[in-house]
Amino acid sequence: MREFIIENLTPGVLSFSDAVFNNLAAVVMAFFIMFTYRITYVGTAFSKRFNVSIGATVIVTTTIMAIISNDIALSLGMVGALSIIRFRTAVKDVRDAVYIFWAIACGIGCGVGQYIMVAIGSLTLFLFFLVTRRTIKANRQLLVILTEPKGQAEVEAIVEEHFGRAMHRISKSQDASQCEIVYSVREGKLVQADEDGGRDITQRLMHINGVIRVSIVEQQDDIAR
């Protein structure tokens, strides 16, 4: 038993050609995942840095797996080292977490030489994201307008003229002195409408007599309508 443990604790040597091939496969998969993320991303807040980080994760994971796969002692040490690391960066979208796990899975597969499984799994995910891309609704923008009752009619007319059918009023509350109107606009339509009209909607609304405040808030949660 002792001889078995000593034998398995002895580090294995990865050949130079295997190491090069593993890393080449990792680079190919990294660019494939980055390409998939780019063409299937839904929204206006696309982050190039996050996309590059996904690709780098594949290569880093491959390197780690190549180092520890043949060494039990290093494997246990790596588990202990990773257990004290805390990542506090918030993921802005649940889909981003899926891409992170995908990158880690590809890195593990390339590190241990499971190229066929990595290729099949990645192709399946690519097709899945491509098919479901149109089912994912883009984030929406909320246009919140606080105005005096005397400016209410003009506000509604300006908003309807500016956005047309792209906007949807979701709430309206009023008391004796103030009126708050909330509109929902599809993501990207607000910028497009501002460009088409040649003027920012907030500036147009703030020039109306009686308007107190205009706010634009991003709504990321899916709400059934």
Side-chain angles (χ1 to χ4, degrees), residues 142-145 168-172 180-184:
L142 297 182
L143 178 64
V144 185
I145 307 163
H168 173 70
R169 191 176 71 184
I170 59 176
S171 72
K172 179 179 179 180
E180 183 181 72
I181 310 174
V182 180
Y183 293 96
S184 177

Side-chain angles (χ1 to χ4, degrees), residues 56-223:
T57 300
V58 180
I59 301 173
V60 171
T61 308
T62 298
T63 304
I64 294 175
M65 288 303 300
I67 294 173
I68 70 175
S69 60
N70 295 318
D71 194 329
I72 296 179
L74 279 177
S75 302
L76 296 175
M78 183 61 68
V79 171
L82 294 178
S83 65
I84 65 175
I85 298 177
R86 297 291 184 269
F87 297 98
R88 300 187 179 275
T89 302
V91 178
K92 66 179 184 297
D93 195 321
V94 178
R95 291 167 292 175
D96 292 348
V98 177
Y99 279 94
I100 293 174
F101 280 112
W102 184 7
I104 294 174
C106 285
I108 294 174
C110 292
V112 298
Q114 295 289 339
Y115 310 121
I116 296 179
M117 187 62 201
V118 169
I120 294 175
S122 296
L123 182 60
T124 304
L125 276 171
F126 172 75
L127 294 175
F128 176 81
F129 282 125
L130 204 61
V131 170
T132 58
R133 179 178 181 271
R134 295 185 179 277
T135 65
I136 301 174
K137 293 182 178 180
N139 297 336
R140 304 182 72 87
Q141 304 286 337
L142 297 182
L143 178 64
V144 185
I145 307 163
L146 183 64
T147 179
E148 297 176 0
K150 62 182 180 180
Q152 174 184 337
E154 189 174 357
V155 165
E156 294 178 344
I158 290 293
V159 171
E160 184 175 354
E161 174 194 344
H162 195 83
F163 294 107
R165 295 185 177 181
M167 66 84 187
H168 173 70
R169 191 176 71 184
I170 59 176
S171 72
K172 179 179 179 180
S173 58
Q174 181 175 347
D175 56 26
S177 59
Q178 294 179 344
C179 175
E180 183 181 72
I181 310 174
V182 180
Y183 293 96
S184 177
V185 185
R186 291 192 301 273
E187 188 176 38
K189 290 295 183 180
L190 189 144
V191 177
Q192 181 181 345
D194 289 345
E195 293 176 351
D196 294 341
R199 192 177 181 186
D200 189 274
I201 182 61
T202 56
Q203 296 178 0
R204 294 189 65 183
L205 291 173
M206 287 304 299
H207 279 83
I208 298 176
N209 185 25
V211 172
I212 302 171
R213 184 179 67 248
V214 179
S215 304
I216 299 176
V217 183
E218 184 174 9
Q219 175 188 332
Q220 295 185 344
D221 297 328
D222 293 332
I223 299 178

